Amino acid sequence: MTEALFRENAYQTETEATVLSSEPRGIALDRTVFYAQGGGQSGDQGTLVLEDGTTAPIVNTVYDADRATILHVPAEGAALPRPGARVIARIDWDLRLKRMRAHTALHLLSVVAPYPVTGGSVGDAEGRLDFDSGEAVLDKAEIERRLNELIALDAAVSHRWIADAELEANPGLIKTMSVKPPMGTGRVRLIAIEGLDLQPCGGTHVARTSEIGPASVTGIEKKGKINRRVRIALGPA
Ligand SMILES: [Zn+2]
């Protein structure tokens, strides 16, 4: 099992770690700053620095079948560290920050468009959410204006953990109909955007909404009878 440091501090870019297992399909560490693919957010990329100074490029990060061990997928032909070795795990921070900004922007988009979310994807400084918006008309310019208003509020983003039972007693917290938050471990991670939003989420977010920067709504598409897909894009950090 891997200690997931990104859940407590999304701004930590590297850590020392011990190799648990090492195969071409993935290198497992006892702790990591690499976000493992899930919840619509891609797995991190970066490098492992081995004891002899050589580096293994990491092209993706995924959960192993046990959902508790995180596998760092090495580039083809990369040098594999031996089990028990100490390594430094370092993420591609530029890429991660783009995803943190996009992920947080999507939380705000779900505030601006207050409809049940049926799907979504966090990209690199861009992303999309699918809404079950019924008969509502989604106005591109209005959504963009309000989204930027919320970003400019510079609201604090924080997380806390609650017991599964508490979430079950408050099902209104769950905005995503298709992707239920991971339960069964006894606790669920809640992301709060001060005064604006509270929802279960396992992803990585910026600490204040102003870090998202200017956002534009790049498209609103019809996906089936009742679903609307809203795409957003962010400017440079
Ligand atoms: Zn989130």
Side-chain angles (χ1 to χ4, degrees):
M1 133 152 222
T2 307
E3 187 189 351
L5 300 171
F6 53 83
R7 289 202 193 114
E8 295 302 329
N9 180 9
Y11 288 82
Q12 189 176 343
T13 59
E14 67 174 58
T15 183
E16 283 189 18
T18 301
V19 176
L20 299 176
S21 65
S22 189
E23 299 172 48
R25 76 180 181 103
I27 300 161
L29 305 177
D30 64 339
R31 61 214 296 257
T32 192
V33 291
F34 281 66
Y35 180 79
Q37 187 182 314
Q41 185 176 333
S42 301
D44 272 330
Q45 301 177 16
T47 46
L48 299 186
V49 183
L50 280 49
E51 281 166 311
D52 64 2
T54 60
T55 57
I58 301 301
V59 295
N60 195 14
T61 309
V62 295
Y63 286 102
D64 204 351
D66 65 2
R67 301 289 304 163
T69 304
I70 293 175
L71 295 177
H72 305 74
V73 181
E76 217 178 305
L80 296 180
R82 57 173 179 79
R86 296 289 288 169
V87 296
I88 294 168
R90 184 179 295 147
I91 57 170
D92 178 337
W93 171 245
D94 289 345
L95 186 62
R96 160 70 88 71
L97 183 57
K98 284 178 183 169
R99 293 172 181 173
M100 284 162 55
R101 291 166 57 225
H103 194 134
T104 313
L106 292 179
H107 281 246
L108 293 181
L109 179 61
S110 79
V111 175
V112 171
Y115 310 108
V117 174
T118 57
S121 173
V122 178
D124 305 338
E126 51 95 24
R128 63 170 171 81
L129 284 182
D130 296 340
F131 296 100
D132 175 357
S133 52
E135 299 301 311
V137 176
L138 302 185
D139 183 283
K140 190 164 169 263
E142 178 64 7
I143 290 174
E144 181 173 298
R145 187 186 67 76
R146 293 193 50 211
L147 182 59
N148 282 292
E149 257 176 23
L150 297 187
I151 290 169
L153 287 177
D154 192 27
V157 183
S158 61
H159 76 271
R160 62 187 165 90
W161 296 89
I162 62 165
D164 280 1
E166 197 181 330
L167 183 62
E168 277 158 13
N170 297 280
L173 289 175
I174 306 174
K175 284 188 180 173
T176 48
M177 295 161 72
S178 61
V179 196
K180 288 273 185 286
M183 291 170 68
T185 60
R187 61 176 200 162
V188 174
R189 188 168 175 263
L190 287 184
I191 297 298
I193 304 182
E194 195 180 14
L196 296 174
D197 187 46
L198 179 68
Q199 58 182 292
C201 185
T204 57
H205 311 82
V206 291
R208 304 198 70 91
T209 59
S210 61
E211 291 178 53
I212 296 167
S216 42
V217 174
T218 53
I220 297 180
E221 301 153 35
K222 227 176 152 163
K223 300 301 276 186
K225 235 179 176 165
I226 53 168
N227 278 291
R228 297 290 179 278
R229 173 167 291 177
V230 180
R231 295 181 185 277
I232 60 169
L234 308 179

PDB file of all heavy atoms in Angstrom, residues 103 107 191 201-205, ligand 1:
ATOM      1  N   HIS A 103      -9.015  21.519 -12.508  1.00  0.00           N
ATOM      2  CA  HIS A 103      -9.901  20.754 -11.629  1.00  0.00           C
ATOM      3  C   HIS A 103     -10.708  21.691 -10.732  1.00  0.00           C
ATOM      4  O   HIS A 103     -11.925  21.547 -10.578  1.00  0.00           O
ATOM      5  CB  HIS A 103      -9.071  19.776 -10.793  1.00  0.00           C
ATOM      6  CG  HIS A 103      -9.888  18.746 -10.123  1.00  0.00           C
ATOM      7  ND1 HIS A 103      -9.564  17.417 -10.112  1.00  0.00           N
ATOM      8  CD2 HIS A 103     -11.060  18.844  -9.457  1.00  0.00           C
ATOM      9  CE1 HIS A 103     -10.499  16.757  -9.456  1.00  0.00           C
ATOM     10  NE2 HIS A 103     -11.410  17.608  -9.039  1.00  0.00           N
ATOM     11  N   HIS A 107     -14.973  22.650 -10.350  1.00  0.00           N
ATOM     12  CA  HIS A 107     -15.825  22.773  -9.155  1.00  0.00           C
ATOM     13  C   HIS A 107     -16.654  24.055  -9.255  1.00  0.00           C
ATOM     14  O   HIS A 107     -17.854  24.052  -8.976  1.00  0.00           O
ATOM     15  CB  HIS A 107     -14.991  22.813  -7.880  1.00  0.00           C
ATOM     16  CG  HIS A 107     -14.503  21.470  -7.419  1.00  0.00           C
ATOM     17  ND1 HIS A 107     -14.911  20.887  -6.255  1.00  0.00           N
ATOM     18  CD2 HIS A 107     -13.633  20.595  -7.973  1.00  0.00           C
ATOM     19  CE1 HIS A 107     -14.307  19.710  -6.098  1.00  0.00           C
ATOM     20  NE2 HIS A 107     -13.516  19.518  -7.140  1.00  0.00           N
ATOM     21  N   ILE A 191     -14.009  18.441  -0.433  1.00  0.00           N
ATOM     22  CA  ILE A 191     -13.322  19.657  -0.860  1.00  0.00           C
ATOM     23  C   ILE A 191     -14.273  20.832  -0.667  1.00  0.00           C
ATOM     24  O   ILE A 191     -15.389  20.826  -1.202  1.00  0.00           O
ATOM     25  CB  ILE A 191     -12.911  19.552  -2.344  1.00  0.00           C
ATOM     26  CG1 ILE A 191     -11.906  18.414  -2.535  1.00  0.00           C
ATOM     27  CG2 ILE A 191     -12.328  20.882  -2.833  1.00  0.00           C
ATOM     28  CD1 ILE A 191     -10.603  18.575  -1.802  1.00  0.00           C
ATOM     29  N   CYS A 201     -14.388  14.719  -3.195  1.00  0.00           N
ATOM     30  CA  CYS A 201     -13.486  14.677  -4.347  1.00  0.00           C
ATOM     31  C   CYS A 201     -12.119  14.182  -3.912  1.00  0.00           C
ATOM     32  O   CYS A 201     -11.624  14.565  -2.861  1.00  0.00           O
ATOM     33  CB  CYS A 201     -13.362  16.062  -4.975  1.00  0.00           C
ATOM     34  SG  CYS A 201     -12.389  16.045  -6.491  1.00  0.00           S
ATOM     35  N   GLY A 202     -11.526  13.340  -4.730  1.00  0.00           N
ATOM     36  CA  GLY A 202     -10.193  12.813  -4.427  1.00  0.00           C
ATOM     37  C   GLY A 202      -9.086  13.464  -5.222  1.00  0.00           C
ATOM     38  O   GLY A 202      -7.929  13.059  -5.130  1.00  0.00           O
ATOM     39  N   GLY A 203      -9.436  14.494  -6.011  1.00  0.00           N
ATOM     40  CA  GLY A 203      -8.451  15.081  -6.934  1.00  0.00           C
ATOM     41  C   GLY A 203      -7.546  16.106  -6.291  1.00  0.00           C
ATOM     42  O   GLY A 203      -7.559  16.299  -5.069  1.00  0.00           O
ATOM     43  N   THR A 204      -6.749  16.780  -7.119  1.00  0.00           N
ATOM     44  CA  THR A 204      -5.832  17.816  -6.635  1.00  0.00           C
ATOM     45  C   THR A 204      -6.347  19.184  -7.065  1.00  0.00           C
ATOM     46  O   THR A 204      -6.825  19.351  -8.183  1.00  0.00           O
ATOM     47  CB  THR A 204      -4.406  17.605  -7.183  1.00  0.00           C
ATOM     48  OG1 THR A 204      -4.440  17.580  -8.604  1.00  0.00           O
ATOM     49  CG2 THR A 204      -3.816  16.299  -6.676  1.00  0.00           C
ATOM     50  N   HIS A 205      -6.259  20.147  -6.146  1.00  0.00           N
ATOM     51  CA  HIS A 205      -6.838  21.484  -6.362  1.00  0.00           C
ATOM     52  C   HIS A 205      -5.847  22.554  -5.965  1.00  0.00           C
ATOM     53  O   HIS A 205      -4.969  22.302  -5.134  1.00  0.00           O
ATOM     54  CB  HIS A 205      -8.107  21.638  -5.510  1.00  0.00           C
ATOM     55  CG  HIS A 205      -9.066  20.508  -5.626  1.00  0.00           C
ATOM     56  ND1 HIS A 205      -8.914  19.346  -4.901  1.00  0.00           N
ATOM     57  CD2 HIS A 205     -10.151  20.325  -6.402  1.00  0.00           C
ATOM     58  CE1 HIS A 205      -9.879  18.498  -5.227  1.00  0.00           C
ATOM     59  NE2 HIS A 205     -10.643  19.063  -6.141  1.00  0.00           N
TER      60      HIS A 205
HETATM   61 ZN    ZN B   1     -12.091  18.065  -7.146  1.00  0.00          ZN
END
